[in-house]
């Protein structure tokens, strides 16, 4: 079988498998479709990516949102077809499926799991790679942040790829130390919670200026882009996305960029329970919990933690977070692992109570503003209960 016949047969079989999967109600079919494609043609990813302008997006937090954001910016500003995964599939099978769907699209914006990024990078020869951030994830997911940083450090060695990073993150600066072309964006520096020591040489990093510097030279590179220090996590990701879009030819004026940054999607949803509107943050790992805690302004807070499937059964990551923002507030813990989070908070001197459900938690609180932070499946439960009154981006 010739190479092109093998590929086209694989793509037809993959499309059929995808449709079958959807027909049987087993999801969007991307993963099954991609598995069939790769089983019939193991080189399908590089063949389907050849000659296309590819951008890879990776990082601990905000991959799916940033990929969607970049796709929409490129569609608007470059006026070209853009391939992407609508479901956030970010491993090889999902990537094969999205490339097979519209092979004539010039652009492909591809979300990539951190550990698979080196493999996909080598298979696809992207023009641009966007590295959003690196922080500790849950232990069952990505592994230790230094391990990922070292893996990336050994990966990015080509001269013809531009890598866009938040240079305030020492792990990203180390990741691109061998890269030929880097766009460094700074947000005025902020201390990285996992970077007491240098990712390169393990010396104690000097953070005394609010920025980091190591005697080995890490941290000494000047930024190319200086952005506002006050931006939150999703907004910082949007700044990187805009730089990537510009590299792909999109002309984005300063006021258009500002508008895009201000419209950055956030993981905040309004739910209604016990007659209250509860502003709810979806957070899934220490960094997204830190960001959500940073935005808590109410005196009443519900925390809901499950440890099911995608949440991961291990809740030890709860100990990686500083909850001092909750001191003096009325906090109610719920979810299947409410005792885990309640105990963690009590160790930090926070007065907590527990409730058997989100609704019961809301009932115990006064008729004053309530904010909630919930883990992934706890959030899915809220959606399933149809309590949402403004699903998504309530800011
Ligand atoms: Zn060093």
């Amino acid at each position: 079988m010739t190479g092109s016949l093998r590929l086209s047969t694989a793509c037809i079989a993959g499309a059929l498998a995808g449709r079958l999967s959807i027909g049987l109600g087993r999801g969007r079919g991307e993963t099954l479709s991609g598995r069939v494609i790769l089983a019939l043609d193991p080189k399908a990813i590089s063949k389907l990516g050849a000659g296309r302008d590819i951008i890879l997006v990776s990082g601990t937090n905000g991959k799916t949102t940033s990929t969607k954001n970049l796709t929409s910016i490129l569609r608007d500003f470059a006026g070209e077809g853009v391939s992407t995964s609508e479901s956030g599939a970010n491993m090889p099978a999902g990537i094969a499926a999205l490339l097979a769907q519209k092979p004539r699209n010039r652009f492909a914006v591809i979300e990539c799991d951190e550990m698979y990024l080196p493999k996909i990078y080598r298979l696809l020869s992207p023009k641009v790679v966007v590295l959003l951030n690196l922080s500790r994830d849950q232990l069952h997911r990505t592994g230790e942040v230094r391990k990922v940083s070292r893996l990336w450090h050994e990966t990015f060695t080509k001269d013809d790829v531009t890598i866009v990073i938040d240079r305030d993150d020492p792990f990203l600066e180390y990741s691109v130390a061998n890269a030929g072309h880097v766009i460094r964006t700074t947000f005025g520096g902020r201390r990285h919670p996992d970077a007491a020591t240098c990712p390169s040489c393990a010396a104690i990093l000097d953070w005394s200026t609010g920025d980091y510097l190591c005697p080995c030279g890490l941290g000494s590179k000047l930024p190319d882009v200086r952005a506002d220090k006050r931006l939150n996590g999703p907004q910082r990701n949007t700044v990187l996305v805009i730089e990537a879009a510009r590299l792909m030819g999109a002309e984005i004026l300063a006021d258009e960029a500002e508008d895009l940054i201000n419209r950055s999607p956030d993981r905040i949803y309004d739910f209604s329970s016990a007659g209250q509107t509860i502003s709810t943050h979806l957070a899934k790992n220490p960094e997204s919990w830190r960001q959500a805690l940073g935005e808590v302004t109410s005196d009443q807070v519900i925390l809901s933690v499950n440890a099911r499937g995608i949440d991961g059964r291990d809740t030890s990551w709860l100990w990686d977070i500083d909850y001092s923002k909750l001191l003096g507030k009325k906090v109610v813990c719920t979810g299947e692992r409410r005792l885990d989070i309640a105990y963690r908070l009590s160790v930090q001197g926070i007065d907590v109570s527990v409730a058997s459900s989100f609704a019961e938690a809301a009932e115990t609180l006064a008729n004053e503003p309530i904010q909630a932070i919930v883990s992934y499946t706890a959030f899915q439960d809220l959606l399933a209960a149809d309590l949402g009154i403004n699903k998504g981006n309530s800011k």
Side-chain angles (χ1 to χ4, degrees):
M1 201 183 284
T2 67
S4 62
L5 183 59
R6 181 187 291 272
L7 180 64
S8 53
T9 307
C11 290
I12 291 166
L16 284 172
R19 266 182 244 142
L20 190 65
S21 173
I22 293 166
L24 292 171
R26 304 231 172 127
R28 304 176 67 108
E30 275 180 333
T31 303
L32 180 62
S33 171
R35 280 186 187 153
V36 169
I37 293 170
L38 289 173
L40 294 175
D41 187 347
K43 294 181 179 168
I45 290 179
S46 23
K47 287 182 189 172
L48 289 163
R52 297 169 76 170
D53 290 350
I54 288 170
I55 311 169
L56 300 179
V57 180
S58 196
T60 310
N61 282 309
K63 289 186 284 291
T64 304
T65 304
S66 298
T67 301
K68 286 195 168 129
N69 216 354
L70 181 51
T71 302
S72 134
I73 292 171
L74 280 181
R75 279 180 184 145
D76 287 352
F77 287 89
E80 299 249 7
V82 183
S83 294
T84 196
S85 165
E86 301 298 335
S87 67
N90 64 13
M91 297 194 192
I95 292 169
L98 83 88
L99 287 168
Q101 268 179 4
K102 287 192 178 161
R104 285 167 201 264
N105 278 350
R106 177 181 155 202
F107 291 114
V109 182
I110 299 175
E111 172 184 340
C112 195
D113 174 85
E114 296 94 295
M115 297 302 275
Y116 280 107
L117 183 62
K119 177 179 179 179
I120 298 298
Y121 172 86
R122 291 187 184 106
L123 289 174
L124 281 177
S125 302
K127 288 210 160 163
V128 174
V129 180
V130 186
L131 303 180
L132 301 167
N133 46 64
L134 263 186
S135 64
R136 282 192 70 179
D137 207 333
Q138 294 171 30
L139 290 177
H140 76 287
R141 282 207 177 114
T142 297
E144 216 275 331
V145 61
R146 282 166 200 274
K147 183 174 148 194
V148 180
S149 181
R150 183 150 294 126
L151 187 66
W152 287 5
H153 176 83
E154 288 157 8
T155 301
F156 302 122
T157 55
K158 294 182 194 165
D159 288 337
D160 56 349
V161 184
T162 303
I163 307 192
V164 182
I165 64 162
D166 170 0
R167 58 79 58 207
D168 299 342
D169 183 329
F171 294 105
L172 296 185
E173 187 62 59
Y174 179 59
S175 297
V176 301
N178 299 320
H181 192 211
V182 181
I183 298 289
R184 293 178 169 81
T185 298
T186 182
F187 300 91
R190 63 193 183 286
R191 182 153 189 162
H192 193 299
D194 302 322
T197 58
C198 175
S200 175
C201 71
I204 303 282
L205 281 181
D206 178 4
W207 286 91
S208 59
T209 60
D211 196 0
Y212 63 93
L213 186 62
C214 183
C216 77
L218 194 90
S220 56
K221 297 264 175 30
L222 287 173
D224 304 283
V225 178
R226 289 180 190 276
D228 194 330
K229 193 181 179 75
R230 292 163 298 179
L231 300 182
N232 63 27
Q235 290 173 323
R236 290 196 295 270
N237 288 346
T238 301
V239 171
L240 302 192
V241 156
I242 290 168
E243 290 310 314
R246 284 176 170 151
L247 287 167
M248 302 307 283
E251 289 181 27
I252 304 169
L253 302 174
D255 55 342
E256 289 169 328
E258 198 178 329
D259 190 40
L260 287 166
I261 294 161
N262 289 335
R263 280 195 279 125
S264 296
D266 211 342
R267 290 177 163 182
I268 302 175
Y269 299 75
D270 283 344
F271 289 98
S272 178
S273 187
Q276 297 261 54
T277 297
I278 303 167
S279 173
T280 302
H281 297 251
L282 166 61
K284 58 177 187 172
N285 55 30
E287 183 55 28
S288 55
W289 270 71
R290 273 182 215 113
Q291 288 179 18
L293 284 164
E295 296 187 20
V296 168
T297 51
S298 308
D299 287 330
Q300 307 189 107
V301 183
I302 299 172
L303 304 177
S304 182
V305 177
N306 286 348
R308 212 189 291 162
I310 195 166
D311 300 315
R313 294 182 64 197
D314 177 357
T315 54
S316 59
W317 58 275
L318 291 169
W319 292 80
D320 291 335
I321 304 162
D322 175 8
Y323 300 89
S324 52
K325 191 86 193 285
L326 298 177
L327 281 163
K329 296 185 187 292
K330 190 161 174 44
V331 181
V332 187
C333 298
T334 187
E336 292 156 4
R337 303 302 280 269
R338 54 189 174 273
L339 295 180
D340 294 18
I341 177 76
Y343 177 60
R344 169 66 187 92
L345 295 184
S346 70
V347 167
Q348 206 162 348
I350 295 160
D351 196 14
V352 289
S353 57
V354 293
S356 61
S357 68
F358 193 86
E360 188 188 305
E363 278 167 20
T364 65
L365 295 170
N367 191 21
E368 287 167 12
I370 306 173
Q371 280 173 274
I373 304 174
V374 302
S375 67
Y376 190 81
T377 61
F379 178 77
Q380 296 298 323
D381 288 348
L382 290 174
L383 284 182
D386 204 20
L387 305 171
I389 56 174
N390 178 16
K391 290 172 185 167
N393 206 18
S394 70
K395 284 186 100 180

